[in-house]
Amino acid sequence: PQFPTPGVEQTPANWFKVLENYKDRINEDTVFIGHSLGGAFLLRVLERFKIYSAYLISAPAGVKPILNWEGDQPFIENSFQWEKIRKNAKNIEVFHSDDDPYICLGNGKLIAEKLGVNLNFKSGQGHFNATAGYTSFPELRDLIIKQNP
């Protein structure tokens, strides 16, 4: 899906409107990967839908500093339903780095702690984007293959 970004169109309500077009494909066999703000949105998706696996990479959850604090607020300003999120996915993995220039490591730690899952801590990997050298993510690919028959 192509979600509207940035500005006033970038809201959870507008992103859920886009996701509505794919609702018939979301079920207990679905695998989602959420990077950055997409990870925060994936947490919101997990408050509503049951899926098989969720992979959260450099996701904001409200721990400062977050470089785009104002733009992220509509996605993170209300408390997450952590227990419901945990129950709505068989597998959840969290990836975060200690030198992410956009979203501090405290966010990854918080998400992993609240969901009772492993934090895949990767030192010196930035925001797991092309700027940080990520044009592919073999470790994530291998984990997805291993966890999703």
Side-chain angles (χ1 to χ4, degrees):
Q2 183 61 51
F3 297 107
T5 61
V8 295
E9 299 296 320
Q10 183 174 287
T11 66
N14 286 337
W15 283 28
F16 272 111
K17 286 178 191 173
V18 172
L19 192 65
E20 184 70 24
N21 297 320
Y22 301 89
K23 190 170 78 170
D24 61 327
R25 298 180 191 174
I26 302 171
N27 58 51
E28 293 185 22
D29 293 325
T30 301
V31 174
F32 274 126
I33 301 168
H35 175 260
S36 197
L37 189 57
F41 181 63
L42 179 50
L43 291 170
R44 295 299 178 200
V45 169
L46 287 169
E47 292 174 336
R48 299 181 184 194
F49 296 97
K50 282 187 176 247
I51 66 169
Y52 196 81
S53 293
Y55 300 90
L56 303 152
I57 298 102
S58 296
V63 178
K64 290 183 177 181
I66 296 174
L67 185 64
N68 299 314
W69 180 258
E70 292 302 316
D72 291 0
Q73 276 305 288
F75 293 83
I76 62 175
E77 65 188 344
N78 298 317
S79 297
F80 290 101
Q81 298 173 43
W82 297 111
E83 188 172 323
K84 189 170 189 177
I85 291 167
R86 182 65 200 119
K87 289 179 180 178
N88 279 345
K90 180 174 178 160
N91 301 307
I92 299 175
E93 297 283 343
V94 178
F95 287 82
H96 218 100
S97 181
D98 54 355
D99 65 343
D100 188 321
Y102 303 103
I103 301 164
C104 76
L105 176 59
N107 290 276
K109 288 179 177 179
L110 175 71
I111 294 168
E113 176 188 323
K114 291 290 190 178
L115 296 177
V117 300
N118 185 44
L119 171 62
N120 294 281
F121 169 72
K122 305 295 174 194
S123 183
Q125 301 306 299
H127 195 57
F128 294 93
N129 58 6
T131 302
Y134 276 83
T135 56
S136 66
F137 198 163
E139 182 180 349
L140 176 61
R141 179 204 58 222
D142 294 346
L143 186 59
I144 291 169
I145 290 168
K146 178 182 172 186
Q147 291 182 338
N148 301 281

